[in-house]
């Protein structure tokens, strides 16, 4: 059964680095791993996407091990405005059918 | 980045009526659009995938006659909730993929309340 697993919630403090890990078995061979940020009552916002190794953009880094069965979103020097729910999204193949599998989301709370 | 506009952002309707939600890609052509539903404190649930000019592909458990999807052009997809009931109240979100791109851009979402 294709599934993604991520922590339900995390707390951190302003200025700290936050790492959120998502495990994803049965990820499709040629598919990307994508992370989204969602604020209440808004649509998810794209953060970062990667296939393997490490990807970095202006807001985050994404670390993906060689087996691609997990990925870690890294947010450097978080601020209060980073308080949100973070979702990982992967494509998986189940019974020869391709599916998009969302994680349940990690509620990140940043404290002063 | 690319912009996807979803309208309306909020709608309240009476039970038994139908509601149409629009999803537009403003600065790119979207060959594929996705419709999601989000229940409170739950992850997004993919409802259906629509490809321009063809019938939508619905996920298991999603009633295609209740959630009508039309993707008549490369910039517009619509989701119509027919004969809405209070249990259809939810947050509906669309996303669109640019041609040949793997990145999906999301609309702002629509909060539907059926009374």
């Amino acid at each position: 059964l294709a599934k993604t697993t991520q922590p339900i919630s995390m707390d951190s403090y302003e200025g700290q680095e936050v790492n959120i890990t998502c495990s994803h078995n049965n990820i499709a061979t040629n598919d990307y791993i994508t992370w989204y940020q969602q604020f209440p009552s808004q649509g998810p916002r794209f953060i970062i996407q990667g296939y393997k190794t490490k990807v970095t953009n202006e807001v985050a880094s994404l670390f993906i091990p060689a087996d691609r069965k997990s990925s870690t979103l890294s947010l450097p020097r978080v601020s209060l405005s980073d308080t949100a729910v973070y979702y990982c999204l992967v494509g998986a193949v189940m019974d020869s059918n391709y599916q998009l599998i969302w994680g349940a989301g990690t509620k990140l709370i940043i404290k002063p | 980045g690319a912009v996807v506009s979803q309208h309306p952002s909020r709608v309240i309707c009476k039970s038994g009526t139908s509601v149409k939600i629009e999803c537009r890609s403003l600065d790119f052509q979207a060959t594929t659009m996705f419709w999601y539903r989000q229940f409170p404190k739950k992850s997004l649930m993919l409802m259906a995938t629509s490809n321009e000019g063809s019938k939508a592909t619905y996920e298991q458990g999603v009633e295609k006659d209740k959630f009508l999807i039309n993707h008549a052009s490369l910039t517009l997809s619509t989701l119509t909730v027919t004969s809405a009931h209070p249990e259809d109240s939810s947050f509906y979100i669309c996303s669109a993929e640019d041609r040949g791109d793997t990145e999906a851009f999301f609309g702002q979402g629509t909060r539907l309340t059926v009374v």
Side-chain angles (χ1 to χ4, degrees):
Chain A
L1 178 66
K3 183 181 175 183
T4 58
T5 304
Q6 47 182 132
I8 295 173
S9 64
M10 294 179 68
D11 291 352
S12 188
Y13 293 89
E14 284 189 292
Q16 298 294 307
E17 177 185 84
V18 172
N19 296 310
I20 307 174
T21 297
C22 177
S23 63
H24 26 75
N25 59 352
N26 294 332
I27 182 173
T29 302
N30 298 319
D31 210 4
Y32 285 81
I33 299 161
T34 313
W35 283 81
Y36 293 88
Q37 176 192 55
Q38 187 182 27
F39 297 108
S41 298
Q42 294 185 24
R45 184 176 72 94
F46 173 88
I47 300 176
I48 197 167
Q49 183 181 71
Y51 182 73
K52 61 180 178 180
T53 64
K54 178 183 174 182
V55 178
T56 298
N57 62 21
E58 61 274 11
V59 297
S61 293
L62 181 60
F63 299 92
I64 304 169
D67 64 6
R68 301 191 347 110
K69 291 187 182 297
S70 68
S71 61
T72 299
L73 172 71
S74 181
L75 304 173
R77 298 181 299 282
V78 292
S79 63
L80 295 177
S81 63
D82 292 318
T83 294
V85 180
Y86 293 83
Y87 293 93
C88 63
L89 172 66
V90 302
V93 177
M94 287 177 53
D95 298 327
S96 303
N97 294 317
Y98 175 82
Q99 293 186 4
L100 287 175
I101 309 293
W102 285 87
T106 298
K107 185 173 184 179
L108 176 64
I109 299 174
I110 305 301
K111 303 175 182 178
Chain B
V3 177
V4 173
S5 176
Q6 186 173 341
H7 177 81
S9 57
R10 294 182 182 182
V11 59
I12 301 174
C13 70
K14 291 184 178 180
S15 186
T17 62
S18 295
V19 175
K20 180 184 286 187
I21 303 170
E22 293 187 350
C23 182
R24 293 180 184 274
S25 57
L26 298 186
D27 52 1
F28 67 99
Q29 293 185 326
T31 53
T32 304
M33 287 188 172
F34 304 91
W35 286 95
Y36 300 86
R37 182 175 178 177
Q38 185 176 32
F39 294 99
K41 300 182 181 180
K42 299 289 185 181
S43 182
L44 295 176
M45 181 190 77
L46 179 64
M47 298 175 66
T49 302
S50 74
N51 294 293
E52 185 266 336
S54 63
K55 291 183 179 180
T57 302
Y58 289 81
E59 296 299 301
Q60 190 173 8
V62 178
E63 299 177 58
K64 63 180 181 180
D65 294 330
K66 180 165 186 62
F67 299 99
L68 300 178
I69 292 173
N70 183 280
H71 193 163
S73 77
L74 285 171
T75 59
L76 174 64
S77 176
T78 60
L79 167 68
T80 302
V81 182
T82 63
S83 186
H85 292 284
E87 57 264 31
D88 297 324
S89 298
S90 190
F91 192 53
Y92 294 86
I93 307 173
C94 69
S95 74
E97 282 188 353
D98 199 348
R99 282 182 190 264
D101 202 341
T102 58
E103 181 180 344
F105 303 95
F106 285 83
Q108 302 92 324
T110 299
R111 172 75 62 190
L112 171 64
T113 303
V114 184
V115 297

